[in-house]
Amino acid sequence: MSETINRRGSLRRLAARLEIRMLGLALVVFVTLSLASPFFLQTNNLLNLLDQSVVTGIVSAGMSFVILTGGIDLSVGSVLGVTAVLMGLAMPHAGILGGVFVAIAAGAGIGLFSGVLVARFGLASFVVTLGVMAIGRSLAYIFSGQNSISDLPPGFNDLVYTPILGIPSNVATLLVLYVLAWLYLTFTKGGRTIYAIGSNREAARAAGLNVLAYSILPYIVSGALAAVAGVLLSAQILSIDPLAGTALELDAIAAVVIGGASLAGGRGSIIGTLIGVMIMVMIRNGLNLLGVSPFWQGSAIGAIIIAAVLAERLVSTRTGGG
Amino acid sequence: MAGAAAAKAAALSPSPLLEARGIEKRFGQTHALAGADFDLAGGEVHGLLGANGAGKSTLSRVISGHVRRDGGTLLWRGAAFDPSGPREALAAGIGMVMQETSLAPDLSVLENIFLPDLARPGWLRRGTWRARAEDILAILGQTSSLPLAVEVRRLSAAQRQLVEIAKALAVDAALIIFDEPTASLSPSEVERLFDVMARLRAAGHGLVFVSHRLEEVLAITDRVTVMREGRTVALGLATARLSQADIVRLMVGQELGRIHNARATMDTAAPVLTVRGLAAAPLVRDVSFTLHRGEILGLGGLVGAGRSETLETLFGLRAKTAGDIHLHGRPFAARHPAQAIRAGIAFVPEDRRGQSIVPDFSVRENLLLGHLSAHRGFGLGYRAREARVKALLETLELPQERLLDANMLNFSGGMQQKIILARWLLLGPKVLLLDEPTKGVDIGTRAAIYAMLRDAADAGTAILVVSSDFEELLGLCARIVVISDGTTSAEMASAVLDEAKLTLFAAPRSSMAATTRLLGELAEETGGAAFWALRDGGRLFCLARAGGAGEADPGFATGATPLFSETRIAAALGAAAGEAQARFIAEPDGGPHTLLIPVRSHRGHDFGVIGVSVARPPLPDAAAIARRVGDLVTRQM
């Protein structure tokens, strides 16, 4: 008797975990699309899904860090664009790895700039990153001379498609970054400090945590990961467009929110974000397979985002879990 | 105005305004109300008491429509009443003055008073509002204390409360619930609030007074209802026939030993923290004290005197603008809390929800938050603390299972405070700073917190406690430092103090600057000492002193509390007061000649004496000095 109660209790605890609920939602989307389109389950398409989730996924991981502190980073898309352009300009002189290094360093530097303005000078992250978004895109045009850069070394492409343990290296990069992010946010002082800041900044300060440093760090992570995503995107298509990454911030924010994070900070998980990314990518992919007009896709995705978050809110208020 | 008339009618009728029987309310697993009874007549102040979690807040919120009951009957003016929300309750004439005010800070006082009017269709009638607001303030006897055009964010806590009360009256509320209304008020503001409440009672309103402060309950209420574990254990007892001990017994359900008894022993040879002339603009001006190993030192004073800010400065949350701090004999100034924590200082802030609790963290992580900031590694290092956490939970009598993974917000204020205290005790601090450690904590848990603090002090921790509850300070601390207007006004043994004297030292004195100036002038002109002191029971309480080195030294400094015989001017102090002509009195043993001039306010309140001591004749003109003291009183007091 008491054992059944215990088992029911642990089941309930499991269901109360947000990641589990979102995983359930992802499964529902997966099954629905499998039934709706005969092409969805084909190996090629599944590989395609993974491939498509790399860029959004990596940017969303960085976005999770920022949102966990209660901030937001609107500049990720244009940071991706401008760092990719810088990489393209550097690559003929510095080689492939040199170019990659330039991009990531530039991304981290831009993140540091936004982070200092937000954390040290108390400006609203929305406003700061909105400004950086505009500046980044404008610089991407100026540096690239309004043209795509396509004279990239052919070996650059290997960065994406060399298999590691049978997995394409861009997907492997995505998974490794998520594992590292999860370990960092769950098992390190810095990770827990980021959560504490988002949950109650004053309490974190009064407990002596380094609020300034760990309020800046997420912006650096976000900028650097946007650059990493830009590297992989450029390597994938062997061309760099100054327009690359446009509107990517919206997909990233949507993925984080679908993954259960609170925009007020302190609540959310990196696993949830990954699930959110998968849901977003599956829906986009499924709508394409079903031949839905691209003009309607925006409405469909917007409606699904709102519905997912609303359903989550209704469920979590009823079970009292978060 | 119809409602006010009805309220008066209700006061005359014998039937109660409100009657609640067997009210039930569940929140998830918690049975917050399990058969609560209550009634209220017009023209009375009814105290609603209980330990934290007893259900008094839930019951008030059921009555005010903020919470919907699950069961039981509620009669309002004899008719069944089931408000669907606070608006409906308000429309029926039930208002609530909340602990945390529900005002819109950016709107003006007038707009806030008539906020419910915004829900009505049609144009706003500001002219009518203003006239009605003035009527209401006149009823409250507060005509000049509320500027109607000012935004609420610029008001003091007491003024905001007044706005809340006016807001309730604006909708003709016949019943007003006051939920812990005095928590952030100074004694004089409490007096004014009680004056307002008495006027409302006289006008036939029924008032519910929810409070932890027993003295206040005894002072203002006509009847009390006591709750325990969601049930009413005593319904409508006449306050006049109860003592504090009776109420405490009903609240906790058992006889408590005297809450304050043994005092921690301190090691006067081992000063841990020495503070001299500390200032942190704008509130901390000149604070000095010494804290010893194993001591519990009280930091008394009124809200706004700079007590919290003093603690925050010591802990590195606020920048020091002047003064010296020595920790273990070495100069110390924390620029941020992490530095203070590494030096062995811990700080429990006043606002638990705002400054201590991380709501999205489990109890375990909240408990380990101090550890996390003291921890130097990259990882968490939680495991290394596991045994210590376990031992600590045991001594705190906290249930270990399930507690650690639970949400912090599910617990009562007292439990939360124990956990926050445990967060810091876990680090084994050398100095523990506490700001209002028992605010919003029930009496039973208070005793446990006092015991925790004494144990920590016995183990050698030096503890500094800020509290507005003077009785608590006197019971807990062997010595008390009093701060008034950001300046140390006294440092003395609590054995010679009582609440009245502590209040005297703590009272911010607008006259202090002028008085100090006069003392300085007198000291310089006479070449002797000038002081302002109170006399009580053969003891002198020196509020301020200037000048008087060497032979003119009267034998006490600012903040000292010597017996008359311990000073150098015993004969003068002992001489019969009230002599028609003020004159200098010589000490038989060749001590200084001293003139004492009584200070009385124009209302006749005793403000002590101003004294001048000179080493030897020629004596200054006593009458001239008396005249100047008289001038000071007319201008300043």
Side-chain angles (χ1 to χ4, degrees):
Chain A
M1 180 68 192
S2 76
E3 198 169 311
T4 40
I5 290 171
N6 263 339
R7 194 173 305 147
R8 277 183 51 197
S10 59
L11 256 180
R12 177 176 293 187
R13 263 207 297 286
L14 204 62
R17 290 205 48 133
L18 192 128
E19 294 94 329
I20 304 294
R21 289 204 300 271
M22 291 332 272
L23 197 59
L25 180 63
L27 277 176
V28 169
V29 173
F30 187 82
V31 171
T32 313
L33 290 175
S34 311
L35 296 176
S37 165
F39 305 109
F40 186 76
L41 271 183
Q42 284 179 3
T43 322
N44 256 345
N45 188 54
L46 292 182
L47 283 179
N48 206 4
L49 272 182
L50 285 176
D51 207 49
Q52 285 169 357
S53 59
V54 169
V55 170
T56 317
I58 290 177
V59 170
S60 304
M63 184 69 78
S64 301
F65 276 69
V66 175
I67 287 182
L68 279 175
T69 61
I72 198 142
D73 188 353
L74 299 178
S75 67
V76 285
S78 68
V79 168
L80 185 152
V82 70
T83 54
V85 167
L86 286 174
M87 174 181 67
L89 297 177
M91 221 168 249
H93 314 287
I96 293 178
L97 287 181
V100 169
F101 175 80
V102 165
I104 296 176
I110 296 171
L112 176 67
F113 174 75
S114 306
V116 167
L117 287 180
V118 171
R120 175 67 187 81
F121 296 101
L123 305 184
S125 59
F126 188 94
V127 176
V128 169
T129 58
L130 189 66
V132 171
M133 171 171 131
I135 296 170
R137 188 60 69 196
S138 135
L139 291 181
Y141 281 118
I142 290 171
F143 292 156
S144 67
Q146 295 94 323
N147 294 316
S148 309
I149 303 172
S150 45
D151 56 336
L152 298 167
F156 187 34
N157 198 244
D158 298 345
L159 220 55
V160 178
Y161 292 117
T162 314
I164 299 172
L165 299 171
I167 310 171
S169 55
N170 62 345
V171 177
T173 310
L174 173 79
L175 295 178
V176 167
L177 285 175
Y178 267 87
V179 170
L180 288 179
W182 178 73
L183 289 173
Y184 184 76
L185 287 174
T186 315
F187 294 111
T188 70
K189 177 175 167 171
R192 300 320 290 170
T193 303
I194 286 172
Y195 273 94
I197 290 170
S199 187
N200 186 345
R201 178 176 298 266
E202 273 312 302
R205 209 163 82 92
L209 297 174
N210 194 339
V211 172
L212 181 63
Y214 290 106
S215 299
I216 296 175
L217 181 72
Y219 292 90
I220 299 177
V221 171
S222 178
L225 287 184
V228 170
V231 168
L232 294 175
L233 179 67
S234 313
Q236 205 169 7
I237 57 179
L238 267 183
S239 158
I240 296 167
D241 188 325
L243 266 170
T246 303
L248 188 59
E249 60 280 352
L250 299 182
D251 277 14
I253 293 167
V256 175
V257 170
I258 291 180
S262 155
L263 284 180
R267 200 178 307 165
S269 85
I270 197 79
I271 308 292
T273 298
L274 187 58
I275 296 169
V277 170
M278 298 314 289
I279 291 176
M280 290 280 295
V281 170
M282 278 194 291
I283 290 172
R284 259 190 213 287
N285 175 277
L287 292 175
N288 278 329
L289 290 181
L290 294 172
V292 175
S293 141
F295 301 115
W296 277 109
Q297 285 191 14
S299 299
I301 289 184
I304 288 163
I305 292 171
I306 294 174
V309 175
L310 180 66
E312 168 54 31
R313 165 59 58 88
L314 294 178
V315 171
S316 72
T317 31
R318 216 186 40 200
T319 61
Chain B
M1 285 293 127
K8 278 188 191 109
L12 299 176
S13 73
S15 74
L17 214 47
L18 178 93
E19 216 178 318
R21 289 290 175 268
I23 304 288
E24 301 267 339
K25 179 69 200 175
R26 280 178 187 278
F27 294 109
Q29 308 280 338
T30 332
H31 210 161
L33 292 179
D37 302 333
F38 186 68
D39 55 43
L40 180 78
E44 75 163 336
V45 179
H46 197 138
L48 184 55
L49 312 176
N52 267 356
K56 54 192 192 307
S57 278
T58 311
L59 182 59
S60 349
R61 295 171 74 82
V62 164
I63 295 170
S64 68
H66 287 83
V67 166
R68 201 144 192 186
R69 67 181 190 271
D70 296 335
T73 54
L74 194 58
L75 297 181
W76 173 241
R77 293 185 161 137
F81 181 59
D82 185 16
S84 62
R87 247 170 91 174
E88 199 180 319
L90 205 57
I94 298 178
M96 185 155 179
V97 177
M98 303 265 224
Q99 212 166 339
E100 281 141 20
T101 62
S102 57
L103 300 176
D106 290 310
L107 297 186
S108 73
V109 169
L110 189 66
E111 286 165 329
N112 266 289
I113 293 177
F114 294 99
L115 206 56
D117 257 24
L118 295 181
R120 286 188 197 154
W123 298 99
L124 302 179
R125 296 157 303 160
R126 276 173 190 276
T128 327
W129 281 6
R130 192 172 305 277
R132 279 218 55 204
E134 273 155 15
D135 283 351
I136 290 168
L137 290 183
I139 293 170
L140 296 176
Q142 303 293 331
T143 325
S144 57
S145 44
L146 262 192
L148 291 176
V150 164
E151 287 128 51
V152 162
R153 69 162 69 254
R154 288 164 51 197
L155 300 183
S156 72
Q159 285 176 312
R160 286 177 196 214
Q161 204 167 51
L162 217 48
V163 176
E164 290 261 22
I165 297 170
K167 194 174 154 185
L169 292 181
V171 294
D172 298 325
L175 186 166
I176 303 177
I177 301 168
F178 291 82
D179 190 2
E180 293 276 356
T182 60
S184 45
L185 301 190
S186 69
S188 60
E189 291 167 336
V190 170
E191 278 307 313
R192 199 168 64 170
L193 174 69
F194 283 2
D195 184 46
V196 166
M197 289 175 72
R199 281 163 177 269
L200 291 174
R201 164 168 60 193
H205 295 268
L207 308 180
V208 181
F209 183 70
V210 182
S211 180
H212 282 304
R213 303 190 179 199
L214 299 183
E215 302 85 9
E216 293 175 1
V217 169
L218 291 176
I220 187 73
T221 63
D222 304 304
R223 293 194 297 157
V224 295
T225 290
V226 183
M227 298 186 63
R228 189 164 74 228
E229 288 157 11
R231 261 173 269 271
T232 297
V233 292
L235 178 63
L237 303 180
T239 310
R241 292 209 298 268
L242 292 173
S243 69
Q244 283 198 37
D246 294 334
I247 297 175
V248 171
R249 200 159 40 238
L250 287 167
M251 281 166 67
V252 297
Q254 62 199 10
E255 195 78 49
L256 273 190
R258 208 171 127 65
I259 291 172
H260 319 294
N261 37 32
R263 289 182 176 135
T265 49
M266 59 162 171
D267 186 350
T268 42
V272 174
L273 187 68
T274 315
V275 175
R276 289 288 166 264
L278 182 70
L283 282 172
V284 183
R285 300 212 174 91
D286 179 9
V287 171
S288 306
F289 60 86
T290 306
L291 179 63
H292 302 93
R293 192 181 131 80
E295 177 182 27
I296 304 182
L297 177 66
L299 199 56
L302 303 178
V303 175
R307 308 162 308 168
S308 304
E309 291 75 11
T310 302
L311 297 191
E312 286 174 7
T313 310
L314 294 175
F315 193 61
L317 278 168
R318 205 173 266 274
K320 181 182 88 166
T321 46
D324 295 309
I325 305 169
H326 283 77
L327 185 65
H328 303 294
R330 282 187 299 277
F332 173 80
R335 272 175 294 115
H336 45 81
Q339 232 173 3
I341 291 169
R342 293 211 184 98
I345 302 180
F347 173 46
V348 176
E350 173 181 6
D351 179 1
R352 235 181 343 262
R353 188 70 176 77
Q355 290 180 280
S356 287
I357 295 174
V358 178
D360 293 304
F361 277 11
S362 64
V363 170
R364 181 199 313 273
E365 281 206 284
N366 266 295
L367 194 55
L368 287 161
L369 203 66
H371 151 79
L372 195 62
S373 91
H375 182 60
R376 280 177 182 276
F378 178 74
L380 294 172
Y382 284 177
R383 202 157 303 158
R385 296 279 188 180
E386 217 159 69
R388 183 90 177 87
V389 167
K390 211 170 237 179
L392 202 55
L393 289 185
E394 231 155 75
T395 54
L396 297 187
E397 293 169 6
L398 296 173
Q400 295 188 33
E401 288 148 50
R402 310 242 296 253
L403 172 91
L404 286 174
D405 293 316
N407 186 329
M408 191 80 179
L409 301 179
N410 291 345
F411 296 101
S412 69
M415 189 76 148
Q416 289 175 351
Q417 188 70 331
K418 278 166 97 173
I419 294 164
I420 298 301
L421 206 49
R423 169 193 287 178
W424 295 111
L425 292 178
L426 187 65
L427 303 181
K430 306 270 191 310
V431 177
L432 178 56
L433 311 173
L434 301 151
D435 195 357
E436 303 281 2
T438 59
K439 188 178 177 182
V441 169
D442 60 273
I443 289 197
T445 314
R446 274 181 194 212
I449 287 177
Y450 297 145
M452 279 167 84
L453 295 182
R454 289 207 185 90
D455 287 348
D458 287 342
T461 306
I463 301 178
L464 184 60
V465 184
V466 162
S467 177
S468 299
D469 183 344
F470 288 167
E471 197 196 341
E472 170 175 289
L473 276 186
L474 292 167
L476 190 63
C477 310
R479 284 191 316 133
I480 293 177
V481 171
V482 183
I483 297 187
S484 168
D485 269 339
T487 308
T488 313
S489 60
E491 176 172 355
M492 59 195 106
S494 57
V496 304
L497 283 172
D498 56 28
E499 282 186 64
K501 294 200 193 75
L502 203 48
T503 310
L504 259 171
F505 276 108
R509 297 172 190 287
S510 46
S511 58
M512 190 52 119
T515 311
T516 315
R517 200 160 47 238
L518 176 65
L519 294 182
E521 287 166 16
L522 290 176
E524 196 174 321
E525 288 161 22
T526 60
F531 56 88
W532 178 21
L534 309 171
R535 291 174 299 180
D536 187 77
R539 201 175 271 282
L540 186 83
F541 297 82
C542 177
L543 297 170
R545 179 195 148 178
E551 285 179 75
D553 183 1
F556 49 83
T558 300
T561 58
L563 290 169
F564 288 172
S565 58
E566 290 163 355
T567 68
R568 295 189 64 225
I569 55 169
L573 291 171
E579 286 180 37
Q581 196 67 42
R583 61 181 181 87
F584 278 87
I585 296 170
E587 298 297 319
D589 57 0
H593 299 253
T594 304
L595 169 74
L596 295 177
I597 296 164
V599 186
R600 281 184 190 283
S601 75
H602 56 270
R603 279 193 224 90
H605 288 128
D606 180 11
F607 279 178
V609 292
I610 283 184
V612 175
S613 295
V614 292
R616 62 185 67 81
L619 299 172
D621 179 0
I625 294 175
R627 232 178 359 258
R628 287 168 69 179
V629 171
D631 281 354
L632 174 80
V633 173
T634 344
R635 272 181 291 120
Q636 300 289 338
M637 291 181 178

